[in-house]
């Protein structure tokens, strides 16, 4: 076999291992997918009636609480991604502080496989989590107007963003000295959707916060996904969202592989 | 093959510091293929660092290291394809079952499906793991974990095996089991590099031993060679009365006399003729000896003589 096919087989082997581990440790996955669902219910039913007054008419013609559901659901999908990657950091840190990683490093395993195994497992987990959250949103009355192409484009954008954040979380998990600190460092990611266009339009925020909200990566990504799903217009957001994703993903990938290569055994 | 003298591991002039703190100071080692080599030293001597350098986990600051014919710096993956490592901490996946752990190793060694299954079944039998193999590893006892750990190391049929303190923390029975496994392995032609702080373990298993103290090799040789270099063999004679003690002390030159305990200690080389001569002389003089014992030097004496300090008990930090 060639080096490339070794990388693929080893990555697939470690992907299977990581998915099996996720199944054995379901409480974490349940908690991480439960969080966005709680936010969805809270924002739609507790705050949605009031918040919908500031939205104006949505392009899909919805008003009131139903309009707020359409507005917030795309943001909730990105919260789902941000929550799920906290699990990535924890799982990576668990692996790095455990003994088995030193065994992997003394075996002739394709160099990239250990990290890609984690990244792929997280992406699988994120796709499933997003499907569950989307299912709940639809059950509550979320009715996207997108056609097949729009859905595919939205899914592709979310996946691209997820890939970037998963690599970032992988690097944070590698950099963490312990599992506890790995569970804290990616916390800011779960906060960012709130300080963007996920829950209210940034135009309603005070100066300073508004600028932050307009220029942080979650905003163009939220606007792009929302635009694709409910037809609210995308503008140049898609380009900014893709640029952010590629930039974060590439930098995090390089950081993570550097940390993995230069990691000292415990 | 050029016979069993071909070295499987060579290290020359290996130095390593962590920050300001030097850990290894010009370590030289040579291990013949198909033998057991014991690296002996107290906690903090640098044994684990040696294993980590030899097994490609960390790089030495300077010096040359070859394992299984490959340079660890230039061709680490070629070395990794030949070695198996069981570290001091268990290297198991806690969330998987024993069988899943072994199968994971088979897959990562790219064994064909059937060959992998066969290899796993063979190791399960050999390491007496059949009862526990379907349970998650987190439920295993210390001895079982160690056995599974060793089995995982063997899945890829390595030609050189590193065992870092393989019996630390095990009860005496599990310790015997691990010893038996190690002896079987070397009978199959595998080279074994083990570290230990137990002198009896090195004595029991190793063909050759090196003593590491504060990052330096202070002695190397077979255990018998080392013992021969060390004074300390003596005969201990215990008497029931002070008179008998005194009579014997007059008879035997150079004996150290402990009048409180009624004990004489007499240096000896431990050979049969000299012991017989000693007993004959005591008999001829009709001296009653209550107890007679011969003590040959063990590796504790070796360590004390070589380093000027005894082996530290476990858990004592070494500066």
């Amino acid at each position: 076999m060639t080096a490339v096919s070794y990388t693929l087989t080893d990555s697939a082997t470690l992907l299977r291992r990581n998915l099996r581990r996720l199944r054995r440790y379901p409480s974490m996955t349940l908690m991480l997918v439960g969080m966005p669902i709680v936010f969805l219910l809270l924002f739609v039913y507790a705050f949605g009636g009031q918040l919908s007054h500031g939205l104006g008419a949505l392009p899909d013609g919805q008003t009131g609480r139903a309009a707020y559901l359409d507005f917030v659901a795309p943001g909730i999908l990105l919260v789902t991604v941000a929550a799920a990657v906290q699990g990535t950091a924890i799982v990576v840190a668990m692996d790095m502080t455990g003994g088995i990683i030193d065994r992997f490093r003394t075996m002739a395993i394709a160099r990239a496989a250990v990290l890609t195994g984690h990244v792929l497992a997280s992406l699988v987990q994120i796709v499933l989590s997003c499907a569950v959250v989307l299912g709940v949103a639809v059950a509550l009355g979320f009715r996207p107007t997108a056609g097949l192409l729009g859905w595919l484009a939205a899914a592709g954008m979310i996946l691209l963003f997820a890939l970037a954040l998963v690599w970032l979380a992988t690097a944070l998990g590698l950099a963490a000295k312990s599992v506890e600190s790995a569970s804290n460092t990616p916390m800011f990611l779960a906060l960012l959707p709130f300080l963007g266009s996920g829950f209210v339009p940034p135009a309603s925020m005070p100066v300073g916060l508004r600028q932050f909200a307009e220029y942080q990566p979650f905003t163009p990504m939220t606007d792009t996904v929302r635009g694709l799903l409910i037809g609210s217009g995308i503008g140049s957001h898609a380009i900014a969202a893709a640029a952010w994703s590629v930039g974060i993903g590439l930098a995090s990938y390089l950081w993570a592989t550097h940390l993995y290569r230069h990691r000292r055994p415990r | 093959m050029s016979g069993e003298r071909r070295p499987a591991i060579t290290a020359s002039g290996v130095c390593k510091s962590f920050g300001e703190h030097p850990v290894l100071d010009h370590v030289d080692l040579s291990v013949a293929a198909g033998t057991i080599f014991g690296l002996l030293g107290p906690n903090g001597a640098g044994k684990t660092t040696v294993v980590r350098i030899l097994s490609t986990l960390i790089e030495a600051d300077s010096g040359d290291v070859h394992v299984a014919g490959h340079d660890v710096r230039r061709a680490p993956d070629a070395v990794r394809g030949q070695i198996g490592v069981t570290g001091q901490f268990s290297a198991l996946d806690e969330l998987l079952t024993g069988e899943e752990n072994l199968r994971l190793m088979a897959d990562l060694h790219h064994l064909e499906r059937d060959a992998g299954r066969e290899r796993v079944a063979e190791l399960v039998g050999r390491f007496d793991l059949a009862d526990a193999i379907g349970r998650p590893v987190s439920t295993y006892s210390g001895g079982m974990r160690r056995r599974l750990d060793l089995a995982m190391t063997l899945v890829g049929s390595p030609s050189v095996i590193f065992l870092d303190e393989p019996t630390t923390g095990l009860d005496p029975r599990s310790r015997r089991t691990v010893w038996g496994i190690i002896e079987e392995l070397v009978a199959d032609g595998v080279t074994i590099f083990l570290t230990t702080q137990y002198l009896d373990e090195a004595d029991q298993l190793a063909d050759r031993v090196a003593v590491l103290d504060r990052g330096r090799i202070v002695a190397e040789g077979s255990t018998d060679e080392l013992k021969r270099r060390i004074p300390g063999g003596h005969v201990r004679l215990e008497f029931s009365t002070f008179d008998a003690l005194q009579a014997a002390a007059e008879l035997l030159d150079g004996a150290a006399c402990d009048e409180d305990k009624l004990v004489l200690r007499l240096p000896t080389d431990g050979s049969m003729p000299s012991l017989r001569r000693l007993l004959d002389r005591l008999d001829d003089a009709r001296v009653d000896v209550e107890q007679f014992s011969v003590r040959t030097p063990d590796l504790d004496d070796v360590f004390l003589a070589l380093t000027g300090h005894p082996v530290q008990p476990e858990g004592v930090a070494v500066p």
Side-chain angles (χ1 to χ4, degrees):
Chain A
M1 281 203 277
T2 64
V4 175
S5 68
Y6 272 143
T7 307
L8 292 179
T9 18
D10 290 350
S11 300
T13 300
L14 291 166
L15 167 63
R16 279 201 303 279
R17 168 203 175 227
N18 291 326
L19 290 177
R20 194 170 269 154
R21 285 171 60 86
L22 285 175
R23 282 211 305 277
R24 299 279 155 81
Y25 186 27
S27 54
M28 186 180 74
T29 307
L30 288 177
M31 196 194 77
L32 293 175
V33 74
M35 192 178 98
I37 292 174
V38 169
F39 279 136
L40 180 66
L41 295 171
L42 193 63
F43 273 84
V44 170
Y45 291 106
F47 312 137
Q50 182 65 30
L51 287 172
S52 67
H53 293 311
L55 285 181
L58 285 188
D60 57 6
Q62 299 277 21
T63 54
R65 198 182 303 283
Y68 188 72
L69 173 60
D70 284 353
F71 179 83
V72 82
I76 291 289
L77 285 177
L78 297 182
V79 171
T80 309
V81 175
V85 301
Q86 310 205 19
T88 310
I90 292 172
V91 168
V92 169
M94 271 171 70
D95 232 10
M96 296 300 146
T97 53
I100 200 165
I101 193 68
D102 283 347
R103 182 185 289 287
F104 290 157
R105 288 160 59 92
T106 58
M107 294 171 68
I109 303 176
R111 185 154 286 254
V114 172
L115 294 187
T116 46
H118 278 298
V119 167
L120 292 175
S122 288
L123 286 179
V124 170
Q125 191 192 4
I126 286 173
V127 168
L128 295 176
S129 301
C130 282
V132 170
V133 171
L134 189 66
V136 173
V138 168
L140 299 182
F142 179 46
R143 293 290 178 268
T145 56
L148 180 65
L149 270 184
W151 274 106
L152 286 178
M157 288 306 277
I158 292 176
L159 209 57
L160 179 68
F161 195 56
L163 182 65
L165 293 192
V166 165
W167 273 112
L168 177 59
T170 301
L172 292 171
L174 282 163
K177 297 263 183 299
S178 68
V179 178
E180 287 74 27
S181 65
S183 69
N184 293 330
T185 44
M187 214 86 108
F188 72 95
L189 287 174
L191 202 62
L192 283 179
F194 294 92
L195 306 176
S197 61
F199 293 84
V200 295
S204 65
M205 296 177 185
V207 178
L209 183 58
R210 186 199 309 164
Q211 278 72 22
F212 175 81
E214 280 167 353
Y215 291 104
Q216 62 112 331
F218 274 84
T219 299
M221 186 51 82
T222 310
D223 291 346
T224 304
V225 173
R226 184 183 288 137
L228 288 166
L229 290 182
I230 66 167
S232 58
I234 298 170
S236 62
H237 291 311
I239 293 166
W244 270 115
S245 302
V246 171
I248 293 171
L250 203 61
S252 304
Y253 166 79
L254 293 173
W255 184 26
T257 47
H258 174 84
L259 287 173
Y260 181 67
R261 250 201 307 279
H262 297 279
R263 182 183 164 279
R264 252 192 25 207
R266 60 181 191 149
Chain B
M1 293 258 186
S2 57
E4 58 177 351
R5 292 296 103 193
R6 182 177 56 88
I9 301 170
T10 56
S12 56
V14 171
C15 297
K16 179 76 189 174
S17 325
F18 292 124
E20 295 282 283
H21 179 60
V23 179
L24 297 180
D25 183 7
H26 293 90
V27 168
D28 299 319
L29 292 169
S30 176
V31 180
T35 64
I36 303 183
F37 185 90
L39 185 62
L40 192 62
N43 273 338
K47 302 188 298 292
T48 297
T49 306
V50 171
V51 169
R52 284 176 173 171
I53 289 171
L54 296 180
S55 63
T56 77
L57 269 175
I58 54 175
E59 277 194 13
D61 296 338
S62 61
D64 269 335
V65 180
H66 282 76
V67 174
H70 302 284
D71 187 321
V72 294
R73 203 188 298 268
R74 273 189 232 121
D77 271 330
V79 172
R80 289 177 189 135
Q82 294 284 317
I83 63 172
V85 185
T86 297
Q88 225 179 107
F89 305 100
S90 68
L92 313 168
D93 191 324
E94 301 283 328
L95 295 180
L96 301 186
T97 66
E99 176 157 32
E100 285 164 346
N101 268 289
L102 288 166
R103 293 294 301 276
L104 176 65
M105 292 298 113
D107 289 344
L108 289 174
H109 281 107
H110 310 120
L111 299 185
E112 295 294 331
R113 203 180 174 74
D114 290 339
R117 201 163 283 176
E118 225 167 82
R119 183 85 180 126
V120 168
E122 180 205 327
L123 289 166
V124 168
R126 179 159 161 199
F127 285 78
D128 194 18
L129 288 164
D131 293 340
I133 204 64
R135 293 210 317 258
V137 168
S138 48
T139 65
Y140 281 27
S141 69
M144 278 158 66
R145 300 170 75 90
R146 196 39 65 157
R147 293 207 303 275
L148 177 62
D149 212 327
L150 278 169
M152 283 168 76
T153 298
L154 296 183
V155 171
S157 309
S159 65
V160 179
I161 296 177
F162 295 95
L163 304 172
D164 193 6
E165 303 203 3
T167 63
T168 297
L170 292 189
D171 59 69
R173 193 171 140 265
S174 303
R175 231 175 137 212
R176 293 270 162 198
T177 314
V178 170
W179 285 3
I181 291 165
I182 293 172
E183 279 164 347
E184 263 175 50
L185 282 174
V186 83
D188 295 345
V190 171
T191 308
I192 294 179
F193 185 102
L194 75 93
T195 74
T196 181
Q197 47 181 328
Y198 300 125
L199 304 162
D200 59 331
E201 186 161 284
D203 209 2
Q204 165 90 22
L205 294 173
D207 299 304
R208 289 182 75 77
V209 175
V211 180
L212 189 68
D213 183 46
R214 294 171 192 169
R216 282 171 206 244
I217 302 284
V218 292
E220 205 202 319
S222 70
T223 51
D224 284 341
E225 270 167 25
L226 289 185
K227 285 183 196 166
R228 240 175 277 139
R229 287 170 51 182
I230 305 305
H234 60 257
V235 174
R236 184 175 185 279
L237 301 169
E238 201 176 322
F239 302 92
S240 50
T241 64
F242 186 73
D243 289 345
L245 173 73
Q246 224 163 15
E250 277 165 24
L251 195 65
L252 307 168
D253 288 338
C257 188
D258 184 337
E259 297 189 351
D260 292 337
K261 290 184 180 159
L262 301 178
V263 163
L264 271 187
R265 286 157 61 104
L266 192 67
T268 174
D269 59 3
S271 72
M272 207 55 190
S274 73
L275 290 178
R276 189 174 293 129
R277 260 198 315 276
L278 172 65
L279 292 177
D280 285 347
R281 287 181 72 187
L282 291 168
D283 255 1
D284 291 349
R286 297 179 186 280
V287 177
D288 273 341
V289 181
E290 174 103 340
Q291 288 223 338
F292 174 91
S293 58
V294 182
R295 188 170 175 273
T296 50
D298 61 18
L299 283 165
D300 274 312
D301 299 311
V302 174
F303 208 85
L304 188 59
L306 289 171
T307 66
H309 56 83
V311 173
Q312 276 91 348
E314 219 181 321
V316 172
V318 176

